[in-house]
Every structure is written in structure tokens, then in C-alpha cells.
Amino acid sequence: MKQSANILFVMGGKPGDTSCLKQAIVIARESNSSLTVLDVMESLPRSARMLVTAVPPGELKDSILAKRQDQLEELLTMIKPDAVDMRVRVRFGNRAKQIASEAAGGRHDVVVKCPEKGRTDRYLSSHCICPVQLLKSDGSLVSGQSLRSLGSLRAVRDKLVGDIGIQTGTHTFAG
């Protein structure tokens, strides 16, 4: 069966991310969509900063990104997402810009993520080429509607445009 859409789920490094990730997997399964799990590292972990003088910076960054990718793949194995085409991507740099770049470069149809404090969500509202859906830590939409009951990505898109006001090109967030 052909994939109906490409969903980009963004990890945020918070305890509620696992619940949101599970909800994104449900959405992907119900809509027969592929799912890419993205994590963006904005800086080197504190434990690795002392190694900067001992290891060339490029090698250190590559090693840390590879380790994080392995951790995410292990997490996905524990969640056991049956019948979902999944990929893991780890990027390094400005969080908002990397998410927008991945959404555009990966030809994703929707970005699903937990809300964040700061400028990331606002940046995505004006720079991301596809709709951005914010989820609460319990997996429900920020506006209160559960995505699980929507069934297909088309229904998700209709719900996004109708109730939340997110449209391709002119994104707005409920809040």
C-alpha cells in the first residue's frame, strides 16, 4: 500500500515527548504515512565539552550525533511501532532553522511537535513550508481535540485548517 503522507515528528528533550511520539506513531499508522523522528542538538552536551581539546571538533560532533541517533533508534525499538515506515534524523544547529530545513528538504506534509517555550514555535509559524501541529504531553491537540479520533492524515489536515487556523504558507498557532 502506498504511503499517503510524510510526517515529521520533532523531539524536544522533555518527559512528555514520549507520549507525543506515541501519538505521532498512531497518526502515521492510521493514515498509512511515513514518520521521520527529528532531534536537533543546539550545543554539545556538557560531558563532551571537555573533549573539545582532545578530539577534532568535526569528529566529536559526528560522534555525538551518531550516539544520539542510536539512542533514538533504541527508543523506537522499545515502543515497537508496527507497520509504520520510520526514519530517525539528528541534526546540529539552530533548532528552529533545522526543523524548517528538514521539513522542506524531506518533503514533509506536516510537522508534529510538543509546544516549546521560546522562539522556535513562532519561527516555524512563519518559516515552515508545511502545517505545524502542536500536541500536549497527553497526545491531544493544543486546542483540545484528540488526533487519534481523526483517523487519516486528510482528516488531520482538515482539522488543522478548520479548527486551528494552520494553513500552508500562512501558519498560525492556537494558544
Side-chain angles (χ1 to χ4, degrees), residues 94-107:
N94 177 283
R95 183 167 179 73
K97 289 179 181 179
Q98 291 298 322
I99 294 168
S101 175
E102 179 66 28
R107 295 190 174 121

Side-chain angles (χ1 to χ4, degrees), residues 94-170:
N94 177 283
R95 183 167 179 73
K97 289 179 181 179
Q98 291 298 322
I99 294 168
S101 175
E102 179 66 28
R107 295 190 174 121
H108 295 285
D109 299 301
V110 64
V111 174
V112 177
K113 63 185 290 305
C114 292
E116 297 178 36
K117 292 183 180 180
R119 299 179 182 174
T120 300
D121 293 340
R122 279 183 276 144
Y123 179 90
L124 292 175
S125 73
S126 59
H127 291 88
C128 195
I129 66 163
C130 62
V132 176
Q133 176 57 60
L134 301 177
L135 297 177
K136 294 180 185 177
S137 61
D138 65 359
S140 63
L141 294 175
V142 167
S143 65
Q145 172 70 36
S146 170
L147 282 174
R148 180 170 284 146
S149 65
L150 297 177
S152 70
L153 189 61
R154 183 171 307 279
V156 171
R157 285 182 180 154
D158 293 345
K159 188 71 180 166
L160 291 172
V161 172
D163 285 358
I164 300 174
I166 296 178
Q167 303 168 5
T168 304
T170 329

Side-chain angles (χ1 to χ4, degrees), residues 58-131:
E59 287 180 31
L60 181 60
K61 185 174 89 171
D62 291 344
S63 172
I64 290 169
L65 291 175
K67 182 178 179 182
R68 181 62 181 148
Q69 179 142 352
D70 291 343
Q71 291 170 339
L72 286 175
E73 288 173 354
E74 185 176 324
L75 172 66
L76 292 175
T77 301
M78 292 185 336
I79 294 174
K80 298 179 182 159
D82 298 330
V84 176
D85 177 24
M86 295 185 66
R87 287 175 289 293
V88 173
R89 299 264 304 149
V90 180
R91 288 177 162 228
F92 191 85
N94 177 283
R95 183 167 179 73
K97 289 179 181 179
Q98 291 298 322
I99 294 168
S101 175
E102 179 66 28
R107 295 190 174 121
H108 295 285
D109 299 301
V110 64
V111 174
V112 177
K113 63 185 290 305
C114 292
E116 297 178 36
K117 292 183 180 180
R119 299 179 182 174
T120 300
D121 293 340
R122 279 183 276 144
Y123 179 90
L124 292 175
S125 73
S126 59
H127 291 88
C128 195
I129 66 163
C130 62

